[in-house]
Amino acid sequence: MAERKEDEFLDDIAAAEAEELAEEMAEIDFEEAELDALRAERDELKDKFMRALADAENARKRGDKARRDAEQYGGSRLARDMLPVHDNMKRALEAATEEQREVAAGLIEGVELTMRELLNVFSKHGIQIVSPQVGDRFDPQMHEAMFEAPVPGTQAGDIIQVSAEGFMLHDRLLRPAQVGVSSTPKS
């Protein structure tokens, strides 16, 4: 009987150890699951942080580009409004005859000085004149065809007349040059 009590005692110890091991395993499984959940949450938060950082960098770059564009092209409406002033002053100077130049020399000189100052202001602010010549090729990116006419001795697409100069603001077209284009077919 002593042997039986000893066996029961050993069985009780084995059962207690098994129960304790099961509890430890359950605790380890719970801790492992909790660690896995924390790792997943960390990875998710890291991903959100990286995306927010990338969004902030993209917003900074867009803001810088918008600021540069505003500096370079912010005055384009005013510049476009000044182009007819240039055109009218140029026409006035071209229309003045030699006799008028002699009679009103001071007035003509004043208009020429004003025209020069206007061109200096244009240059200072990045406005360049697009001045095609008769015989140049028509470029639809820089020129506006006002009419087409067959002119002997030219090829289709050649500029045959310049009605008005065009203007660029840095690398953007403010106004295309207005030209007449030859429609003479190749023959």
Side-chain angles (χ1 to χ4, degrees):
M1 189 114 197
E3 210 174 287
R4 197 159 201 245
K5 282 189 176 193
E6 196 174 301
D7 284 340
E8 283 179 23
F9 179 72
L10 289 175
D11 286 341
D12 287 345
I13 291 175
E17 286 178 349
E19 190 177 307
E20 190 176 318
L21 183 61
E23 286 177 12
E24 285 179 13
M25 292 302 285
E27 193 175 310
I28 288 173
D29 288 344
F30 175 74
E31 288 174 355
E32 192 65 38
E34 194 175 357
L35 271 175
D36 287 344
L38 288 172
R39 285 184 187 116
E41 185 179 357
R42 177 202 64 197
D43 292 345
E44 182 183 337
L45 290 173
K46 184 178 179 183
D47 182 57
K48 284 182 180 179
F49 173 74
M50 296 303 285
R51 289 177 189 272
L53 198 61
D55 284 346
E57 181 65 18
N58 288 340
R60 185 190 63 77
K61 287 179 182 176
R62 278 192 307 272
D64 286 348
K65 184 182 182 317
R67 182 187 49 77
R68 283 192 310 272
D69 285 352
E71 282 177 6
Q72 281 194 328
Y73 306 112
S76 63
R77 289 180 61 191
L78 175 63
R80 213 173 267 118
D81 290 345
M82 292 299 293
L83 300 182
V85 174
H86 171 271
D87 294 340
N88 290 333
M89 290 180 68
K90 185 173 181 179
R91 276 194 285 276
L93 288 172
E94 289 172 351
T97 63
E98 284 303 315
E99 181 180 307
Q100 290 170 333
R101 286 182 181 274
E102 288 175 13
V103 172
L107 177 66
I108 300 294
E109 183 180 351
V111 173
E112 287 173 342
L113 290 173
T114 304
M115 180 67 150
R116 218 173 298 139
E117 185 61 29
L118 179 64
L119 292 175
N120 287 337
V121 169
F122 279 2
S123 176
K124 177 180 172 185
H125 293 281
I127 300 172
Q128 301 103 25
I129 297 176
V130 176
S131 188
Q133 302 298 314
V134 172
D136 289 351
R137 292 296 295 163
F138 175 75
D139 178 2
Q141 300 295 319
M142 303 295 287
H143 308 135
E144 178 182 8
M146 302 307 288
F147 65 90
E148 279 189 314
V151 176
T154 62
Q155 295 180 1
D158 285 351
I159 294 175
I160 54 175
Q161 181 182 346
V162 178
S163 303
E165 296 173 323
F167 294 87
M168 299 277 297
L169 176 60
H170 300 291
D171 58 346
R172 289 187 185 171
L173 189 65
L174 278 176
R175 182 180 82 188
Q178 298 171 345
V179 298
V181 181
S182 174
S183 63
T184 305
K186 291 182 181 178
S187 53

